[in-house]
Amino acid sequence: MTDETDLFGKRPGQASLFGAGDDRLQAPLQRSLPDPETVRVRLKALLEKARSAEKMPWSERDARMWQTVFPNMAKWLPKDEADQLRFEFAQEMQRLRQDAGEQTAVSQSFG
């Protein structure tokens, strides 16, 4: 610990754990960019979940969230691949929403 004082001549009660100096911890390093392979695996898993579903596999709230998040996650992939995945996901979401709409109409007509 150093003998530094503040403007009022007082020593700090507890020194910072982070910062310059041999007796200080280094701030943890965080990755600034996601790993494209991790993103690819996650997006393909989401796409496969949508493809294999006969009805919407997510709640309305989660479906809206994935429609926003999926295209943004795809930005971390090469442009052509990202565009293709976004297109395929949008098609599956449209199919699932149409199926849900048709089932709602059928159940209302028999209700």
Side-chain angles (χ1 to χ4, degrees), residues 31 33-47 66 69-70 72-78 81 85:
R31 293 184 66 173
L33 299 175
D35 175 35
E37 187 56 33
T38 302
V39 171
R40 182 177 292 112
V41 167
R42 180 73 171 144
L43 292 178
K44 287 186 176 187
L46 288 164
L47 182 56
W66 284 122
V69 172
F70 191 101
N72 285 320
M73 286 177 66
K75 291 178 184 177
W76 297 107
L77 300 175
E81 181 181 10
L85 286 171

Side-chain angles (χ1 to χ4, degrees), residues 90-106:
Q91 280 188 315
E92 290 304 321
M93 292 301 282
Q94 183 177 7
R95 175 187 65 83
L96 291 165
R97 289 200 185 279
Q98 283 177 343
D99 290 348
E102 288 172 10
Q103 288 188 7
T104 301
V106 169

